[in-house]
Amino acid sequence: MPKFRPYLAVYIIVRQQQSILLLQRKNTGFDDGKWSLPAGHVEEGESALTAAVREAEEEIGIVIPPSALKLIYTLHRKSDERTYIDLWFEAKRFDGVPVNKEPNKCAGLMWSNAQNLPENTQEYVKRALKDMQTNGYGSLGLT
């Protein structure tokens, strides 16, 4: 039997007072039109922390020192045929002003109250943001 190899992804929660930064997905083939967080896959040989720093710069043009990222939640989820382990980091500080650096994959950015997310926010993102207030781990679609 082959070894189980989940995909590893990182999510970055960028806060401005009571709001968090959301990106609207487009042309990705997955949940296009829905709001999500800056996020991406961890590349071969890359640490999750390094991936979070890289994704923040690539997607929204901000620089986050690794020491300013805090791991606050882990989500183990099944999505279609793939299984993911998602690591959710919160940026305690960052340099720069968020801008849409990937207009081919992102329709726009917006600040939203984490307690009142847009209706078309990815369901697992909504659930994770709610769950992380009381838990450090969640699971979706797995037994």
Side-chain angles (χ1 to χ4, degrees):
M1 177 181 276
K3 281 191 168 190
F4 171 67
R5 299 196 191 277
Y7 289 83
L8 183 60
V10 293
Y11 288 75
I12 306 103
I13 300 167
V14 178
R15 292 191 189 273
Q16 187 176 64
Q17 293 144 6
Q18 300 302 317
S19 297
I20 60 172
L21 185 68
L22 299 177
L23 293 77
Q24 190 173 36
R25 301 176 61 83
K26 86 172 185 184
N27 299 326
T28 67
F30 177 72
D31 279 352
D32 289 332
K34 294 194 176 180
W35 292 96
S36 190
L37 298 168
H41 292 99
V42 177
E43 296 176 358
E44 182 72 32
E46 181 180 48
S47 75
L49 193 64
T50 300
V53 169
R54 175 182 52 77
E55 289 291 348
E57 197 285 321
E58 286 177 0
E59 292 186 4
I60 56 174
I62 63 172
V63 175
I64 305 173
S67 62
L69 285 169
K70 180 180 179 186
L71 179 63
I72 60 173
Y73 187 74
T74 302
L75 178 64
H76 190 186
R77 68 180 169 94
K78 185 140 176 68
S79 174
D80 300 325
E81 317 77 49
R82 292 182 175 183
T83 299
Y84 284 89
I85 296 175
D86 299 329
L87 301 176
W88 301 66
F89 291 92
E90 183 171 32
K92 294 184 170 231
R93 66 183 188 285
F94 58 90
D95 293 320
V97 175
V99 295
N100 182 0
K101 287 194 62 182
E102 295 184 323
N104 58 322
K105 296 194 280 186
C106 176
L109 308 178
M110 81 172 203
W111 293 99
S112 174
N113 184 304
Q115 308 305 316
N116 190 23
L117 296 168
E119 193 171 308
N120 62 334
T121 300
Q122 288 178 308
E123 286 301 319
Y124 73 91
V125 170
K126 281 187 208 178
R127 181 171 168 184
L129 287 168
K130 182 179 179 185
D131 193 39
M132 70 180 58
Q133 295 174 31
T134 56
N135 298 303
Y137 171 81
S139 177
L140 286 172
L142 298 161
T143 56

